[in-house]
């Protein structure tokens, strides 16, 4: 059970031990270890801060893990007609927690079972497709001390959202003196063009995990990340394969620009 973390920059830290998938304690006993913050707290509000100074070696940061009962989540995927075999995963909805929980057992007639789930907040995510059309399912879950059974997981179609980025004026870089023209607006390495939009990215951040895989008739293909898109040379943007959700929007751009306005329809957001 010994561990060593090295080459850490000086600063203040929380230390957390996380179980990557439940560790079954032998036989049919489905107890496992609960995640814990140093020195043994169950959440960050009760954790101790570790303050590391330059060149310091910190010892004695021992954490005792406690056994905890795990549960089973089972149910049925109500996938569309002619849909391919869905991918399904359980994703933690708690900040700082294990991001993805595996161990899904598929059963006849689109049944599923996920064993050894630790108590906590999760999102059950499933993705599939019919031809080139994507479908997703997202269900928030709260795992406690008893099994979750007979869960019905319905799918809904993904959708696209489009928009446009506009840049006012002529963006330039550099700090040339009086009479010295600034250098051109250079694109980053690998950019398609040197246009003004080549260094602008738009992001959507939702509450639920984005789709990750689409299984099509031609094989397994990338299922659009949904949350990130590049800006085309004419300023247009298209987000594909989005799951129904509430999104916040953010924009990444070079220091020669600033965000003046962001609108959705007629609303200033």
């Amino acid at each position: 059970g010994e561990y060593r973390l090295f080459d850490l920059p000086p600063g203040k830290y929380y230390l957390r031990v996380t179980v990557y998938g439940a560790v079954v304690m032998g036989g049919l006993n489905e107890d496992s270890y609960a995640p814990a913050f140093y020195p043994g707290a169950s959440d960050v509000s009760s954790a101790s801060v570790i303050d590391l100074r330059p060149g310091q070696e910190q010892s004695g940061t021992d954490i005792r893990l406690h056994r905890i009962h795990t549960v089973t989540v089972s149910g049925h995927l109500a996938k569309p007609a002619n849909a391919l075999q869905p991918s399904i995963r359980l994703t933690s909805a708690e900040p700082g927690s294990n991001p993805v929980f595996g161990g899904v057992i598929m059963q006849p007639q689109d049944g599923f079972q996920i064993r050894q789930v630790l108590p906590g907040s999760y999102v059950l995510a499933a993705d599939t497709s019919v031809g080139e059309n994507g479908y997703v399912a997202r269900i928030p879950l709260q795992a406690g001390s008893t099994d979750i059974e007979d869960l019905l997981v319905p799918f809904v179609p993904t959708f696209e959202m489009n928009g446009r980025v506009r840049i006012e004026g002529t963006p330039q870089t550099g700090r040339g003196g009086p009479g010295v023209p600034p250098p051109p607006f250079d694109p980053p390495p690998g950019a398609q063009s040197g246009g003004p939009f080549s260094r602008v990215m738009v992001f959507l951040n939702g509450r639920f995990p984005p789709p990750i895989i689409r299984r099509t008739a031609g094989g397994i293909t990338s299922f659009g990340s949904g949350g990130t898109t590049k800006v085309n040379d004419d300023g247009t943007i298209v987000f594909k394969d989005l799951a129904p959700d509430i999104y916040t929007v953010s924009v990444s751009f070079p220091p020669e620009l600033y965000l003046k306005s962001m609108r959705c329809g007629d609303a200033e957001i």
Side-chain angles (χ1 to χ4, degrees):
E2 294 184 353
Y3 71 92
R4 179 173 182 262
L5 304 174
F6 54 90
D7 290 341
L8 297 173
K12 296 182 178 181
Y13 293 86
Y14 290 108
L15 182 63
R16 188 175 193 269
V17 177
T18 304
V19 178
Y20 286 90
V23 180
V24 179
M25 312 292 286
L28 297 177
N29 179 4
E30 294 200 354
D31 285 358
S32 184
Y33 293 113
F37 288 90
Y38 172 76
S42 59
D43 57 72
V44 69
S45 63
S46 304
S48 296
V49 177
I50 301 173
D51 191 356
L52 298 181
R53 299 183 299 275
Q56 176 185 356
E57 291 192 9
Q58 175 76 28
S59 61
T61 48
D62 300 333
I63 298 180
R64 180 177 296 275
L65 299 179
H66 299 280
R67 296 177 67 166
I68 190 170
H69 181 66
T70 64
V71 300
T72 297
V73 177
S74 61
H76 179 83
L77 300 175
K79 68 180 184 181
N82 302 319
L84 299 179
Q85 179 64 45
S87 64
I88 182 171
R89 62 202 187 277
L90 198 60
T91 301
S92 176
E94 298 176 347
S97 298
N98 220 10
V100 176
F101 193 96
V104 179
I105 302 173
M106 297 305 298
Q107 297 176 326
Q109 315 217 332
D110 297 321
F112 69 91
Q113 185 182 78
I114 308 175
R115 299 179 60 191
Q116 305 164 23
V117 179
L118 295 167
S121 298
Y122 298 91
V123 174
L124 182 70
D127 311 323
T128 188
S129 63
V130 179
E132 296 299 321
N133 299 317
Y135 290 82
V136 296
R138 300 290 184 267
I139 297 183
L141 295 177
Q142 184 68 39
S145 58
T146 58
D147 293 344
I148 299 176
E149 300 176 333
D150 300 324
L151 187 66
L152 183 64
V153 182
F155 286 80
V156 295
T158 60
F159 65 95
E160 291 186 0
M161 185 173 70
N162 56 59
R164 180 179 297 274
V165 175
R166 294 186 175 91
I167 297 179
E168 295 182 358
T170 303
Q172 295 176 329
T173 62
R175 299 177 180 176
V180 178
F185 190 88
D186 293 327
Q192 296 298 316
S193 71
F197 300 108
S198 60
R199 294 166 63 191
V200 179
M201 295 286 289
V202 184
F203 306 89
L204 292 181
N205 301 302
R207 302 167 301 167
F208 297 155
I212 56 172
I213 293 176
R214 179 193 293 173
R215 291 174 171 84
T216 65
I220 297 178
T221 60
S222 173
F223 198 60
S225 62
T228 306
T229 188
K230 73 179 186 69
V231 182
N232 298 318
D233 289 341
D234 61 355
T236 57
I237 53 175
V238 180
F239 292 94
K240 297 183 178 181
D241 291 320
L242 291 176
D245 200 349
I246 296 176
Y247 291 95
T248 57
V249 186
S250 59
V251 185
S252 171
F253 44 82
E256 301 82 48
L257 303 175
Y258 72 93
L259 184 61
K260 178 180 179 180
S261 177
M262 187 183 300
R263 303 187 65 83
C264 182
D266 294 329
E268 172 66 47
I269 61 173

